[in-house]
Amino acid sequence: MGYGGGMAARIRFLHRLCHDLDAIRAFYGEGMGFEELSYRNDEEHGWVVFASDGLQFMFHRWPEPLPPVAGFAWQPGDGEGTEPRTSIGVHVPEEDWSATVERLRALDADALTPEPTFRQEAYWGWTLRDPAGETVEIWYEPAAG
């Protein structure tokens, strides 16, 4: 029998640090279209909170630039990232895919490949790095038919 035993534990918040809060806000809000729940960026405080299917992820402004992140995290889909780091997978509905890719291009997002790729003979994906340097794979599965 596995762990957990039917417990109702849920991850509800993820907290991350960033130096450029407005770049993060543009990447996840404008680029990916996440719903923004809260934003503050003044001398005293800096944060932005996004909602994702019951999960809230919050970026806190760090006063100095964070250490640079080398390369892209390894991910099973693209197989090209080389860093042993955690990454984020973001499902984008098929009907929103092209517009999301174009918005991220317009933001000059750092991408592992110039174009999205068909992966594992099952889905389309594009591996990017957010403005804090963390690897994010956006993906969708084409409708059968």
PDB file of all heavy atoms in Angstrom, residues 9-41:
ATOM      1  N   ALA A   9      -4.403  16.030   2.064  1.00  0.00           N
ATOM      2  CA  ALA A   9      -3.361  17.050   1.921  1.00  0.00           C
ATOM      3  C   ALA A   9      -3.312  17.541   0.475  1.00  0.00           C
ATOM      4  O   ALA A   9      -3.450  16.760  -0.457  1.00  0.00           O
ATOM      5  CB  ALA A   9      -2.002  16.473   2.325  1.00  0.00           C
ATOM      6  N   ARG A  10      -3.131  18.830   0.306  1.00  0.00           N
ATOM      7  CA  ARG A  10      -3.061  19.436  -1.025  1.00  0.00           C
ATOM      8  C   ARG A  10      -2.002  20.526  -1.014  1.00  0.00           C
ATOM      9  O   ARG A  10      -1.887  21.280  -0.055  1.00  0.00           O
ATOM     10  CB  ARG A  10      -4.390  20.099  -1.419  1.00  0.00           C
ATOM     11  CG  ARG A  10      -5.590  19.200  -1.427  1.00  0.00           C
ATOM     12  CD  ARG A  10      -5.567  18.276  -2.639  1.00  0.00           C
ATOM     13  NE  ARG A  10      -6.762  17.492  -2.733  1.00  0.00           N
ATOM     14  CZ  ARG A  10      -6.922  16.266  -2.233  1.00  0.00           C
ATOM     15  NH1 ARG A  10      -5.955  15.703  -1.570  1.00  0.00           N
ATOM     16  NH2 ARG A  10      -8.035  15.614  -2.391  1.00  0.00           N
ATOM     17  N   ILE A  11      -1.255  20.646  -2.090  1.00  0.00           N
ATOM     18  CA  ILE A  11      -0.360  21.795  -2.245  1.00  0.00           C
ATOM     19  C   ILE A  11      -1.213  22.947  -2.747  1.00  0.00           C
ATOM     20  O   ILE A  11      -1.871  22.834  -3.781  1.00  0.00           O
ATOM     21  CB  ILE A  11       0.781  21.485  -3.230  1.00  0.00           C
ATOM     22  CG1 ILE A  11       1.678  20.392  -2.664  1.00  0.00           C
ATOM     23  CG2 ILE A  11       1.587  22.758  -3.527  1.00  0.00           C
ATOM     24  CD1 ILE A  11       2.745  19.916  -3.632  1.00  0.00           C
ATOM     25  N   ARG A  12      -1.197  24.045  -2.032  1.00  0.00           N
ATOM     26  CA  ARG A  12      -2.022  25.203  -2.393  1.00  0.00           C
ATOM     27  C   ARG A  12      -1.200  26.423  -2.784  1.00  0.00           C
ATOM     28  O   ARG A  12      -1.688  27.294  -3.483  1.00  0.00           O
ATOM     29  CB  ARG A  12      -2.955  25.576  -1.240  1.00  0.00           C
ATOM     30  CG  ARG A  12      -4.006  24.540  -0.969  1.00  0.00           C
ATOM     31  CD  ARG A  12      -4.962  24.472  -2.128  1.00  0.00           C
ATOM     32  NE  ARG A  12      -6.038  23.547  -1.822  1.00  0.00           N
ATOM     33  CZ  ARG A  12      -6.652  22.835  -2.737  1.00  0.00           C
ATOM     34  NH1 ARG A  12      -6.320  22.939  -3.997  1.00  0.00           N
ATOM     35  NH2 ARG A  12      -7.611  22.027  -2.406  1.00  0.00           N
ATOM     36  N   PHE A  13       0.053  26.514  -2.290  1.00  0.00           N
ATOM     37  CA  PHE A  13       0.889  27.667  -2.573  1.00  0.00           C
ATOM     38  C   PHE A  13       2.289  27.216  -2.944  1.00  0.00           C
ATOM     39  O   PHE A  13       2.830  26.296  -2.345  1.00  0.00           O
ATOM     40  CB  PHE A  13       1.021  28.597  -1.342  1.00  0.00           C
ATOM     41  CG  PHE A  13      -0.259  29.221  -0.908  1.00  0.00           C
ATOM     42  CD1 PHE A  13      -1.059  28.598   0.033  1.00  0.00           C
ATOM     43  CD2 PHE A  13      -0.669  30.422  -1.442  1.00  0.00           C
ATOM     44  CE1 PHE A  13      -2.242  29.171   0.439  1.00  0.00           C
ATOM     45  CE2 PHE A  13      -1.857  31.007  -1.041  1.00  0.00           C
ATOM     46  CZ  PHE A  13      -2.646  30.377  -0.099  1.00  0.00           C
ATOM     47  N   LEU A  14       2.862  27.863  -3.928  1.00  0.00           N
ATOM     48  CA  LEU A  14       4.280  27.739  -4.240  1.00  0.00           C
ATOM     49  C   LEU A  14       4.857  29.141  -4.165  1.00  0.00           C
ATOM     50  O   LEU A  14       4.283  30.083  -4.708  1.00  0.00           O
ATOM     51  CB  LEU A  14       4.498  27.173  -5.644  1.00  0.00           C
ATOM     52  CG  LEU A  14       4.078  25.733  -5.879  1.00  0.00           C
ATOM     53  CD1 LEU A  14       4.277  25.359  -7.343  1.00  0.00           C
ATOM     54  CD2 LEU A  14       4.848  24.788  -4.985  1.00  0.00           C
ATOM     55  N   HIS A  15       5.982  29.277  -3.491  1.00  0.00           N
ATOM     56  CA  HIS A  15       6.636  30.576  -3.355  1.00  0.00           C
ATOM     57  C   HIS A  15       7.972  30.529  -4.072  1.00  0.00           C
ATOM     58  O   HIS A  15       8.739  29.586  -3.903  1.00  0.00           O
ATOM     59  CB  HIS A  15       6.858  30.917  -1.872  1.00  0.00           C
ATOM     60  CG  HIS A  15       5.592  31.047  -1.118  1.00  0.00           C
ATOM     61  ND1 HIS A  15       4.906  32.238  -1.020  1.00  0.00           N
ATOM     62  CD2 HIS A  15       4.867  30.143  -0.428  1.00  0.00           C
ATOM     63  CE1 HIS A  15       3.821  32.056  -0.296  1.00  0.00           C
ATOM     64  NE2 HIS A  15       3.769  30.792   0.074  1.00  0.00           N
ATOM     65  N   ARG A  16       8.236  31.543  -4.878  1.00  0.00           N
ATOM     66  CA  ARG A  16       9.498  31.647  -5.595  1.00  0.00           C
ATOM     67  C   ARG A  16      10.040  33.060  -5.445  1.00  0.00           C
ATOM     68  O   ARG A  16       9.286  33.985  -5.189  1.00  0.00           O
ATOM     69  CB  ARG A  16       9.295  31.339  -7.081  1.00  0.00           C
ATOM     70  CG  ARG A  16       8.897  29.879  -7.277  1.00  0.00           C
ATOM     71  CD  ARG A  16       9.019  29.373  -8.673  1.00  0.00           C
ATOM     72  NE  ARG A  16      10.167  29.860  -9.392  1.00  0.00           N
ATOM     73  CZ  ARG A  16      10.143  30.142 -10.693  1.00  0.00           C
ATOM     74  NH1 ARG A  16       9.045  30.009 -11.387  1.00  0.00           N
ATOM     75  NH2 ARG A  16      11.222  30.560 -11.304  1.00  0.00           N
ATOM     76  N   LEU A  17      11.326  33.171  -5.654  1.00  0.00           N
ATOM     77  CA  LEU A  17      11.976  34.473  -5.595  1.00  0.00           C
ATOM     78  C   LEU A  17      12.324  34.931  -7.002  1.00  0.00           C
ATOM     79  O   LEU A  17      12.570  34.104  -7.890  1.00  0.00           O
ATOM     80  CB  LEU A  17      13.256  34.395  -4.762  1.00  0.00           C
ATOM     81  CG  LEU A  17      13.085  33.963  -3.320  1.00  0.00           C
ATOM     82  CD1 LEU A  17      14.454  33.837  -2.659  1.00  0.00           C
ATOM     83  CD2 LEU A  17      12.204  34.925  -2.557  1.00  0.00           C
ATOM     84  N   CYS A  18      12.338  36.228  -7.197  1.00  0.00           N
ATOM     85  CA  CYS A  18      12.761  36.800  -8.468  1.00  0.00           C
ATOM     86  C   CYS A  18      13.315  38.186  -8.202  1.00  0.00           C
ATOM     87  O   CYS A  18      13.013  38.796  -7.173  1.00  0.00           O
ATOM     88  CB  CYS A  18      11.615  36.850  -9.471  1.00  0.00           C
ATOM     89  SG  CYS A  18      10.310  38.015  -9.037  1.00  0.00           S
ATOM     90  N   HIS A  19      14.101  38.680  -9.110  1.00  0.00           N
ATOM     91  CA  HIS A  19      14.635  40.036  -8.960  1.00  0.00           C
ATOM     92  C   HIS A  19      13.807  41.042  -9.754  1.00  0.00           C
ATOM     93  O   HIS A  19      13.575  42.153  -9.303  1.00  0.00           O
ATOM     94  CB  HIS A  19      16.098  40.086  -9.399  1.00  0.00           C
ATOM     95  CG  HIS A  19      16.709  41.434  -9.253  1.00  0.00           C
ATOM     96  ND1 HIS A  19      16.880  42.047  -8.030  1.00  0.00           N
ATOM     97  CD2 HIS A  19      17.166  42.317 -10.170  1.00  0.00           C
ATOM     98  CE1 HIS A  19      17.419  43.227  -8.194  1.00  0.00           C
ATOM     99  NE2 HIS A  19      17.610  43.429  -9.490  1.00  0.00           N
ATOM    100  N   ASP A  20      13.332  40.634 -10.922  1.00  0.00           N
ATOM    101  CA  ASP A  20      12.577  41.530 -11.794  1.00  0.00           C
ATOM    102  C   ASP A  20      11.099  41.125 -11.780  1.00  0.00           C
ATOM    103  O   ASP A  20      10.645  40.323 -12.590  1.00  0.00           O
ATOM    104  CB  ASP A  20      13.144  41.476 -13.215  1.00  0.00           C
ATOM    105  CG  ASP A  20      12.524  42.515 -14.125  1.00  0.00           C
ATOM    106  OD1 ASP A  20      11.440  43.057 -13.809  1.00  0.00           O
ATOM    107  OD2 ASP A  20      13.124  42.778 -15.186  1.00  0.00           O
ATOM    108  N   LEU A  21      10.376  41.672 -10.843  1.00  0.00           N
ATOM    109  CA  LEU A  21       8.977  41.312 -10.645  1.00  0.00           C
ATOM    110  C   LEU A  21       8.118  41.640 -11.861  1.00  0.00           C
ATOM    111  O   LEU A  21       7.227  40.873 -12.225  1.00  0.00           O
ATOM    112  CB  LEU A  21       8.445  42.025  -9.400  1.00  0.00           C
ATOM    113  CG  LEU A  21       7.149  41.509  -8.807  1.00  0.00           C
ATOM    114  CD1 LEU A  21       7.296  40.055  -8.377  1.00  0.00           C
ATOM    115  CD2 LEU A  21       6.739  42.370  -7.638  1.00  0.00           C
ATOM    116  N   ASP A  22       8.384  42.764 -12.505  1.00  0.00           N
ATOM    117  CA  ASP A  22       7.567  43.139 -13.663  1.00  0.00           C
ATOM    118  C   ASP A  22       7.792  42.201 -14.847  1.00  0.00           C
ATOM    119  O   ASP A  22       6.860  41.913 -15.595  1.00  0.00           O
ATOM    120  CB  ASP A  22       7.816  44.595 -14.045  1.00  0.00           C
ATOM    121  CG  ASP A  22       7.237  45.544 -13.003  1.00  0.00           C
ATOM    122  OD1 ASP A  22       6.190  45.226 -12.408  1.00  0.00           O
ATOM    123  OD2 ASP A  22       7.839  46.612 -12.775  1.00  0.00           O
ATOM    124  N   ALA A  23       9.021  41.693 -15.016  1.00  0.00           N
ATOM    125  CA  ALA A  23       9.284  40.721 -16.082  1.00  0.00           C
ATOM    126  C   ALA A  23       8.561  39.408 -15.796  1.00  0.00           C
ATOM    127  O   ALA A  23       7.996  38.784 -16.703  1.00  0.00           O
ATOM    128  CB  ALA A  23      10.782  40.488 -16.238  1.00  0.00           C
ATOM    129  N   ILE A  24       8.551  38.981 -14.535  1.00  0.00           N
ATOM    130  CA  ILE A  24       7.813  37.769 -14.144  1.00  0.00           C
ATOM    131  C   ILE A  24       6.325  37.961 -14.374  1.00  0.00           C
ATOM    132  O   ILE A  24       5.627  37.089 -14.892  1.00  0.00           O
ATOM    133  CB  ILE A  24       8.104  37.409 -12.668  1.00  0.00           C
ATOM    134  CG1 ILE A  24       9.498  36.808 -12.530  1.00  0.00           C
ATOM    135  CG2 ILE A  24       7.041  36.486 -12.087  1.00  0.00           C
ATOM    136  CD1 ILE A  24       9.674  35.408 -13.059  1.00  0.00           C
ATOM    137  N   ARG A  25       5.826  39.130 -14.003  1.00  0.00           N
ATOM    138  CA  ARG A  25       4.402  39.443 -14.189  1.00  0.00           C
ATOM    139  C   ARG A  25       4.023  39.375 -15.663  1.00  0.00           C
ATOM    140  O   ARG A  25       2.982  38.831 -16.035  1.00  0.00           O
ATOM    141  CB  ARG A  25       4.122  40.831 -13.623  1.00  0.00           C
ATOM    142  CG  ARG A  25       2.681  41.199 -13.592  1.00  0.00           C
ATOM    143  CD  ARG A  25       2.516  42.597 -13.024  1.00  0.00           C
ATOM    144  NE  ARG A  25       1.124  42.884 -12.741  1.00  0.00           N
ATOM    145  CZ  ARG A  25       0.637  44.107 -12.664  1.00  0.00           C
ATOM    146  NH1 ARG A  25       1.440  45.163 -12.829  1.00  0.00           N
ATOM    147  NH2 ARG A  25      -0.643  44.299 -12.405  1.00  0.00           N
ATOM    148  N   ALA A  26       4.879  39.912 -16.528  1.00  0.00           N
ATOM    149  CA  ALA A  26       4.603  39.870 -17.965  1.00  0.00           C
ATOM    150  C   ALA A  26       4.652  38.440 -18.489  1.00  0.00           C
ATOM    151  O   ALA A  26       3.778  38.018 -19.256  1.00  0.00           O
ATOM    152  CB  ALA A  26       5.605  40.746 -18.717  1.00  0.00           C
ATOM    153  N   PHE A  27       5.655  37.658 -18.088  1.00  0.00           N
ATOM    154  CA  PHE A  27       5.825  36.291 -18.585  1.00  0.00           C
ATOM    155  C   PHE A  27       4.618  35.414 -18.232  1.00  0.00           C
ATOM    156  O   PHE A  27       4.028  34.776 -19.097  1.00  0.00           O
ATOM    157  CB  PHE A  27       7.111  35.690 -18.004  1.00  0.00           C
ATOM    158  CG  PHE A  27       7.427  34.303 -18.491  1.00  0.00           C
ATOM    159  CD1 PHE A  27       8.121  34.113 -19.676  1.00  0.00           C
ATOM    160  CD2 PHE A  27       7.061  33.192 -17.754  1.00  0.00           C
ATOM    161  CE1 PHE A  27       8.427  32.830 -20.125  1.00  0.00           C
ATOM    162  CE2 PHE A  27       7.367  31.916 -18.197  1.00  0.00           C
ATOM    163  CZ  PHE A  27       8.049  31.735 -19.382  1.00  0.00           C
ATOM    164  N   TYR A  28       4.256  35.382 -16.952  1.00  0.00           N
ATOM    165  CA  TYR A  28       3.167  34.495 -16.524  1.00  0.00           C
ATOM    166  C   TYR A  28       1.788  35.093 -16.732  1.00  0.00           C
ATOM    167  O   TYR A  28       0.841  34.359 -17.036  1.00  0.00           O
ATOM    168  CB  TYR A  28       3.354  34.102 -15.054  1.00  0.00           C
ATOM    169  CG  TYR A  28       4.469  33.106 -14.861  1.00  0.00           C
ATOM    170  CD1 TYR A  28       5.723  33.515 -14.437  1.00  0.00           C
ATOM    171  CD2 TYR A  28       4.272  31.761 -15.133  1.00  0.00           C
ATOM    172  CE1 TYR A  28       6.760  32.610 -14.275  1.00  0.00           C
ATOM    173  CE2 TYR A  28       5.298  30.852 -14.976  1.00  0.00           C
ATOM    174  CZ  TYR A  28       6.541  31.276 -14.544  1.00  0.00           C
ATOM    175  OH  TYR A  28       7.564  30.370 -14.398  1.00  0.00           O
ATOM    176  N   GLY A  29       1.654  36.397 -16.605  1.00  0.00           N
ATOM    177  CA  GLY A  29       0.354  37.035 -16.784  1.00  0.00           C
ATOM    178  C   GLY A  29       0.037  37.308 -18.239  1.00  0.00           C
ATOM    179  O   GLY A  29      -0.868  36.714 -18.815  1.00  0.00           O
ATOM    180  N   GLU A  30       0.813  38.198 -18.867  1.00  0.00           N
ATOM    181  CA  GLU A  30       0.577  38.545 -20.274  1.00  0.00           C
ATOM    182  C   GLU A  30       0.904  37.377 -21.197  1.00  0.00           C
ATOM    183  O   GLU A  30       0.148  37.067 -22.110  1.00  0.00           O
ATOM    184  CB  GLU A  30       1.433  39.736 -20.675  1.00  0.00           C
ATOM    185  CG  GLU A  30       1.075  41.035 -19.990  1.00  0.00           C
ATOM    186  CD  GLU A  30       2.100  42.124 -20.289  1.00  0.00           C
ATOM    187  OE1 GLU A  30       2.626  42.159 -21.416  1.00  0.00           O
ATOM    188  OE2 GLU A  30       2.379  42.916 -19.368  1.00  0.00           O
ATOM    189  N   GLY A  31       2.060  36.753 -20.989  1.00  0.00           N
ATOM    190  CA  GLY A  31       2.504  35.703 -21.897  1.00  0.00           C
ATOM    191  C   GLY A  31       1.689  34.437 -21.809  1.00  0.00           C
ATOM    192  O   GLY A  31       1.211  33.918 -22.809  1.00  0.00           O
ATOM    193  N   MET A  32       1.536  33.913 -20.608  1.00  0.00           N
ATOM    194  CA  MET A  32       0.842  32.635 -20.441  1.00  0.00           C
ATOM    195  C   MET A  32      -0.637  32.778 -20.137  1.00  0.00           C
ATOM    196  O   MET A  32      -1.384  31.822 -20.283  1.00  0.00           O
ATOM    197  CB  MET A  32       1.530  31.813 -19.358  1.00  0.00           C
ATOM    198  CG  MET A  32       2.890  31.373 -19.796  1.00  0.00           C
ATOM    199  SD  MET A  32       3.311  29.864 -18.956  1.00  0.00           S
ATOM    200  CE  MET A  32       5.026  29.787 -19.398  1.00  0.00           C
ATOM    201  N   GLY A  33      -1.028  33.950 -19.671  1.00  0.00           N
ATOM    202  CA  GLY A  33      -2.444  34.180 -19.428  1.00  0.00           C
ATOM    203  C   GLY A  33      -2.956  33.716 -18.073  1.00  0.00           C
ATOM    204  O   GLY A  33      -4.165  33.559 -17.895  1.00  0.00           O
ATOM    205  N   PHE A  34      -2.063  33.526 -17.107  1.00  0.00           N
ATOM    206  CA  PHE A  34      -2.534  33.153 -15.779  1.00  0.00           C
ATOM    207  C   PHE A  34      -3.294  34.310 -15.144  1.00  0.00           C
ATOM    208  O   PHE A  34      -2.945  35.481 -15.332  1.00  0.00           O
ATOM    209  CB  PHE A  34      -1.361  32.776 -14.861  1.00  0.00           C
ATOM    210  CG  PHE A  34      -0.845  31.393 -15.103  1.00  0.00           C
ATOM    211  CD1 PHE A  34       0.352  31.210 -15.766  1.00  0.00           C
ATOM    212  CD2 PHE A  34      -1.550  30.288 -14.675  1.00  0.00           C
ATOM    213  CE1 PHE A  34       0.850  29.937 -15.998  1.00  0.00           C
ATOM    214  CE2 PHE A  34      -1.068  29.016 -14.893  1.00  0.00           C
ATOM    215  CZ  PHE A  34       0.133  28.842 -15.558  1.00  0.00           C
ATOM    216  N   GLU A  35      -4.291  33.985 -14.358  1.00  0.00           N
ATOM    217  CA  GLU A  35      -5.065  34.989 -13.636  1.00  0.00           C
ATOM    218  C   GLU A  35      -4.208  35.565 -12.508  1.00  0.00           C
ATOM    219  O   GLU A  35      -3.666  34.820 -11.685  1.00  0.00           O
ATOM    220  CB  GLU A  35      -6.320  34.356 -13.042  1.00  0.00           C
ATOM    221  CG  GLU A  35      -7.135  35.296 -12.195  1.00  0.00           C
ATOM    222  CD  GLU A  35      -8.265  34.609 -11.460  1.00  0.00           C
ATOM    223  OE1 GLU A  35      -8.411  33.375 -11.536  1.00  0.00           O
ATOM    224  OE2 GLU A  35      -9.009  35.341 -10.774  1.00  0.00           O
ATOM    225  N   GLU A  36      -4.090  36.871 -12.484  1.00  0.00           N
ATOM    226  CA  GLU A  36      -3.354  37.540 -11.420  1.00  0.00           C
ATOM    227  C   GLU A  36      -4.292  37.809 -10.250  1.00  0.00           C
ATOM    228  O   GLU A  36      -5.346  38.410 -10.421  1.00  0.00           O
ATOM    229  CB  GLU A  36      -2.773  38.856 -11.943  1.00  0.00           C
ATOM    230  CG  GLU A  36      -1.916  39.577 -10.936  1.00  0.00           C
ATOM    231  CD  GLU A  36      -1.359  40.871 -11.490  1.00  0.00           C
ATOM    232  OE1 GLU A  36      -0.544  40.811 -12.446  1.00  0.00           O
ATOM    233  OE2 GLU A  36      -1.751  41.930 -10.974  1.00  0.00           O
ATOM    234  N   LEU A  37      -3.895  37.357  -9.062  1.00  0.00           N
ATOM    235  CA  LEU A  37      -4.714  37.544  -7.871  1.00  0.00           C
ATOM    236  C   LEU A  37      -4.296  38.756  -7.052  1.00  0.00           C
ATOM    237  O   LEU A  37      -5.131  39.388  -6.410  1.00  0.00           O
ATOM    238  CB  LEU A  37      -4.658  36.299  -6.979  1.00  0.00           C
ATOM    239  CG  LEU A  37      -5.150  35.004  -7.604  1.00  0.00           C
ATOM    240  CD1 LEU A  37      -4.972  33.856  -6.629  1.00  0.00           C
ATOM    241  CD2 LEU A  37      -6.602  35.140  -8.035  1.00  0.00           C
ATOM    242  N   SER A  38      -2.997  39.042  -7.052  1.00  0.00           N
ATOM    243  CA  SER A  38      -2.500  40.135  -6.227  1.00  0.00           C
ATOM    244  C   SER A  38      -1.160  40.597  -6.777  1.00  0.00           C
ATOM    245  O   SER A  38      -0.364  39.784  -7.249  1.00  0.00           O
ATOM    246  CB  SER A  38      -2.333  39.652  -4.782  1.00  0.00           C
ATOM    247  OG  SER A  38      -1.814  40.667  -3.955  1.00  0.00           O
ATOM    248  N   TYR A  39      -0.926  41.913  -6.684  1.00  0.00           N
ATOM    249  CA  TYR A  39       0.330  42.478  -7.165  1.00  0.00           C
ATOM    250  C   TYR A  39       0.669  43.688  -6.327  1.00  0.00           C
ATOM    251  O   TYR A  39      -0.190  44.526  -6.046  1.00  0.00           O
ATOM    252  CB  TYR A  39       0.200  42.881  -8.635  1.00  0.00           C
ATOM    253  CG  TYR A  39       1.364  43.676  -9.174  1.00  0.00           C
ATOM    254  CD1 TYR A  39       2.573  43.055  -9.466  1.00  0.00           C
ATOM    255  CD2 TYR A  39       1.250  45.042  -9.398  1.00  0.00           C
ATOM    256  CE1 TYR A  39       3.644  43.781  -9.975  1.00  0.00           C
ATOM    257  CE2 TYR A  39       2.315  45.774  -9.908  1.00  0.00           C
ATOM    258  CZ  TYR A  39       3.506  45.135 -10.188  1.00  0.00           C
ATOM    259  OH  TYR A  39       4.566  45.849 -10.690  1.00  0.00           O
ATOM    260  N   ARG A  40       1.917  43.755  -5.915  1.00  0.00           N
ATOM    261  CA  ARG A  40       2.421  44.951  -5.240  1.00  0.00           C
ATOM    262  C   ARG A  40       3.903  45.055  -5.563  1.00  0.00           C
ATOM    263  O   ARG A  40       4.645  44.080  -5.462  1.00  0.00           O
ATOM    264  CB  ARG A  40       2.230  44.852  -3.733  1.00  0.00           C
ATOM    265  CG  ARG A  40       2.722  46.093  -2.993  1.00  0.00           C
ATOM    266  CD  ARG A  40       2.369  46.065  -1.540  1.00  0.00           C
ATOM    267  NE  ARG A  40       2.956  47.201  -0.826  1.00  0.00           N
ATOM    268  CZ  ARG A  40       2.831  47.406   0.457  1.00  0.00           C
ATOM    269  NH1 ARG A  40       2.106  46.578   1.186  1.00  0.00           N
ATOM    270  NH2 ARG A  40       3.420  48.445   1.029  1.00  0.00           N
ATOM    271  N   ASN A  41       4.318  46.241  -5.971  1.00  0.00           N
ATOM    272  CA  ASN A  41       5.723  46.453  -6.312  1.00  0.00           C
ATOM    273  C   ASN A  41       6.082  47.900  -5.978  1.00  0.00           C
ATOM    274  O   ASN A  41       6.019  48.777  -6.823  1.00  0.00           O
ATOM    275  CB  ASN A  41       5.985  46.136  -7.785  1.00  0.00           C
ATOM    276  CG  ASN A  41       7.464  46.020  -8.098  1.00  0.00           C
ATOM    277  OD1 ASN A  41       8.296  45.952  -7.195  1.00  0.00           O
ATOM    278  ND2 ASN A  41       7.783  45.993  -9.370  1.00  0.00           N
TER     279      ASN A  41
END
